[in-house]
Amino acid sequence: MITAVLPTYNNEKTIMKVIDDVLKYVDNVIVVNDGSTDSTHKLLSPRQDIILIEYPDGKNRGKGYALKMGLREASRMGYDYAISMDTDGQHFASDIPAFIDAIGKEPDSLIIGARNLHADGMPGKNTFANRFSNFWFKVETLHTLSDSQSGFRLYPLKRLEGMKFFTPRYEFEVEIIVRAAWRDIKVWNIPINVIYPEDRVSHFRPLRDFTRISILNTFLVAFAFIYYYPKVAWKWLKKELTRTDESNCRKAVAIGFGTMMSMMPVWGFQMVIALFFAHLFRLNKALVLAFSNISLPPVIPFILWGSLWTGGLILNQPTLISIDSLTIDSALQSFWQYVLGAIVFAPLCGGVVGLSSYLISRLIGRHDE
């Protein structure tokens, strides 16, 4: 079951035609009057063929808030999907069947109508803003869109149930697609037609709204690094660990070997050497490559200290280096202490990580049975 949600604000010249066109393709239309100050209320209130939502205080709350109200009502009424359109006349209701066909092929996905960004009449600021938004969407989700800003969309209501959104204005359209992708909802584009009439009324305020979107992207990128990237990495690792075409023991060897190579004193060549031996011994190259790159900046101090400490135990020398008494000879001595320690410390860490991954893979395997 599909309905249409039309948030509108001061689009008295176009709203009636948009509604009439949309009703040719869907049975019900939910219109959210976002505090319009023109004749929108007078035009909409007599209509019996739409569901009209208006705020008691009549204030303008933003497109995002209006969309949330409309989507919530559509979900309450039991609809599976809701198509949103702008009411300024730029979208063609005749593209609605394309959304319906597309959702039949990819159920429970979120579909965004992709405009031809090189077509005549496309404002230059729209092209730049869309490229900007597409770039950050890819950074935040690791997925690619050709148009992430179009307001012509199909939302999977049941997949979005229970999600709480925080943004009230244009930035909501960024928040919802990013967080949908984080929820493993497929977000993708289909081509649509678009027109920008000369008398089109746009309420996008470039400076204020662009600033709000930029602030939102800052938080989304930070959260992607904290939550989404680790989630993707764990999902990939779990998939690799539960592969049935390779034993848990061989996977553990690949992980342990990759970990060892990441700590060996061959900085800059760990990955090349690791892949060479992975190919030679027919180890899982994906696992070896992933774990040969764990020597990231936050981890490097611990690797260096562990190597120096191990080397100090072997040579019976202090781990710490005194800057006051640093000489060429003491620096060379500390260097060789680190190299010797790393040669011992790296295999020990690789063994611990490999054994741990073996135990984890066994536990995952039992849990999935």
Side-chain angles (χ1 to χ4, degrees):
M1 296 175 61
I2 297 179
T3 187
V5 173
L6 307 179
T8 189
Y9 175 64
N10 287 353
N11 287 133
E12 60 183 0
K13 295 181 179 179
T14 53
I15 182 62
M16 300 297 279
K17 183 178 186 306
V18 170
I19 292 173
D20 291 338
D21 288 345
V22 171
L23 282 171
K24 296 175 184 177
Y25 302 97
V26 299
D27 294 331
N28 290 294
V29 174
I30 300 171
V31 181
V32 183
N33 181 9
D34 186 28
S36 298
T37 56
D38 58 5
S39 62
T40 296
H41 172 74
K42 293 181 180 179
L43 293 171
L44 296 179
S45 55
R47 297 196 63 148
Q48 301 297 314
D49 54 350
I50 65 171
I51 297 169
L52 178 61
I53 297 176
E54 295 184 304
Y55 314 141
D57 57 9
K59 291 184 178 179
N60 172 256
R61 299 180 183 275
K63 184 181 182 182
Y65 185 88
L67 266 173
K68 284 186 282 188
M69 293 292 292
L71 295 176
R72 186 182 304 165
E73 178 64 16
S75 181
R76 187 193 67 80
M77 294 176 66
Y79 286 100
D80 299 312
Y81 302 98
I83 292 176
S84 69
M85 287 178 59
D86 294 341
T87 57
D88 57 3
Q90 65 171 291
H91 296 145
F92 291 82
S94 56
D95 283 324
I96 290 177
F99 284 88
I100 297 174
D101 290 342
I103 202 63
K105 298 174 183 176
E106 292 285 350
D108 296 325
S109 60
L110 194 160
I111 307 173
I112 303 175
R115 302 159 293 180
N116 183 352
L117 299 180
H118 303 288
D120 293 336
M122 171 68 74
K125 63 181 181 180
N126 288 43
T127 302
F128 169 78
N130 192 61
R131 289 176 179 172
F132 180 86
S133 181
N134 293 347
F135 169 78
W136 286 114
F137 178 80
K138 187 169 186 177
V139 171
E140 292 152 2
T141 68
L142 304 177
H143 297 291
T144 301
L145 289 176
S146 60
D147 189 346
S148 58
Q149 286 201 316
S150 171
F152 202 167
R153 303 178 175 190
L154 185 147
Y155 293 102
L157 299 176
K158 294 188 183 302
R159 292 295 307 276
L160 297 173
E161 282 182 359
M163 296 181 68
K164 183 178 181 180
F165 298 98
F166 304 98
T167 52
R169 298 191 178 274
Y170 282 101
E171 67 273 18
F172 168 79
E173 292 183 306
V174 174
E175 180 190 1
I176 192 170
I177 61 173
V178 171
R179 293 184 57 195
W182 287 354
R183 213 181 209 196
D184 297 325
I185 298 172
K186 181 177 180 180
V187 182
W188 58 299
N189 292 119
I190 63 169
I192 60 168
N193 298 297
V194 68
I195 186 173
Y196 290 93
E198 292 182 0
D199 59 347
R200 167 176 172 257
V201 178
S202 174
H203 303 289
F204 185 85
R205 299 160 296 181
L207 179 59
R208 184 178 298 181
D209 290 319
F210 193 76
T211 300
R212 295 174 70 98
I213 291 172
S214 297
I215 293 172
L216 172 64
N217 279 322
T218 300
F219 282 99
L220 292 176
V221 169
F223 203 71
F225 278 94
I226 296 171
Y227 164 75
Y228 183 67
Y229 287 179
K231 175 187 172 182
V232 171
W234 170 246
K235 186 176 179 181
W236 172 84
L237 180 59
K238 183 178 179 180
K239 181 181 177 181
E240 289 294 322
L241 289 175
T242 54
R243 281 174 51 182
T244 57
D245 60 340
E246 191 173 27
S247 69
N248 290 334
C249 183
R250 287 191 63 81
K251 296 172 194 171
V253 170
I255 292 173
F257 178 73
T259 302
M260 180 189 75
M261 288 306 307
S262 72
M263 299 182 179
M264 290 295 283
V266 284
W267 299 98
F269 297 95
Q270 293 106 322
M271 186 172 63
V272 175
I273 297 172
L275 286 177
F276 172 78
F277 282 104
H279 177 75
L280 185 65
F281 295 109
R282 297 182 180 179
L283 298 176
N284 186 313
K285 295 184 180 65
L287 290 175
V288 169
L289 181 62
F291 282 85
S292 66
N293 282 281
I294 65 172
S295 53
L296 300 172
V299 183
I300 289 176
F302 298 98
I303 296 175
L304 293 176
W305 183 87
S307 299
L308 279 170
W309 180 79
T310 304
L313 286 179
I314 297 171
L315 299 175
N316 194 25
Q317 292 179 357
T319 301
L320 298 177
I321 304 172
S322 175
I323 301 298
D324 295 334
S325 60
L326 184 64
T327 63
I328 294 178
D329 290 337
S330 63
L332 285 173
Q333 185 177 359
S334 297
F335 172 75
W336 290 116
Q337 177 181 334
Y338 154 73
V339 171
L340 177 62
I343 292 173
V344 176
F345 183 66
L348 289 174
C349 290
V352 171
V353 173
L355 178 61
S356 300
S357 65
Y358 174 77
L359 296 175
I360 291 172
S361 62
R362 290 290 300 273
L363 290 173
I364 292 174
R366 290 179 181 177
H367 181 269
D368 293 338
E369 289 178 356

